[in-house]
Amino acid sequence: FYMGAKWLKISILYLIFGVALGMFMSGTLQLQWAALHAHVNLAGWASIAIIGLIYSVYPKAGNSKLGIWSFWLYNIGMPIFFISIFMIYTPSLRAYAHTLTFIGGPAAFIGIILVAVNLFKNVHGSDAITRQ
């Protein structure tokens, strides 16, 4: 298991989606998707890439049970949360959006908490991979 690489590979998919969404918004002037665009780029691309880089430098932490659980909770919760943001801006789906918000949001948040616990528990300067 190389969890750092898995986080990085997922992050690039969010970047592609975020940029494509931004191009769609710009081309069609459908700017109501700005919140989704921002969340995909920041909570998807940027946050996941940073976690991937940390877990690449500290593979012991990334490959721990906390690292694996954080990966799955965050990466299952975040797409559900993003779908709920989409639904909020679609009037016929708005009534159902909060159900997904209250599923995806907490799952991703617990994943973030596990990343934080993992960093404090398993990331030590002496464990970092260094170039020889």
Side-chain angles (χ1 to χ4, degrees):
F1 282 74
Y2 294 103
M3 294 307 293
K6 289 185 184 303
W7 285 88
L8 290 169
K9 289 175 182 178
I10 294 284
S11 76
I12 201 70
L13 298 177
Y14 281 110
L15 177 62
I16 292 167
F17 178 63
V19 169
L21 180 58
M23 291 172 58
F24 168 80
M25 289 170 43
S26 177
T28 63
L29 297 178
Q30 294 187 38
L31 304 179
Q32 73 269 26
W33 308 110
L36 177 59
H37 173 67
H39 277 83
V40 167
N41 283 311
L42 293 174
W45 156 246
S47 297
I48 292 175
I50 291 168
I51 294 166
L53 290 173
I54 292 167
Y55 284 166
S56 293
V57 173
Y58 296 95
K60 179 180 167 187
N63 296 325
S64 71
K65 285 188 181 193
L66 285 170
I68 294 167
W69 274 99
S70 66
F71 176 84
W72 287 109
L73 281 168
Y74 194 86
N75 287 295
I76 290 171
M78 202 47 64
I80 294 170
F81 180 67
F82 290 157
I83 291 168
S84 76
I85 295 172
F86 169 78
M87 292 171 71
I88 286 171
Y89 293 101
T90 307
S92 63
L93 301 175
R94 190 173 296 145
Y96 307 102
H98 292 296
T99 301
L100 293 182
T101 300
F102 293 125
I103 294 170
F109 183 67
I110 293 168
I112 293 167
I113 296 299
L114 293 181
V115 169
V117 170
N118 194 19
L119 292 180
F120 283 101
K121 183 178 178 183
N122 292 315
V123 171
H124 310 287
S126 61
D127 293 335
I129 294 177
T130 57
R131 292 181 88 161
Q132 300 291 330

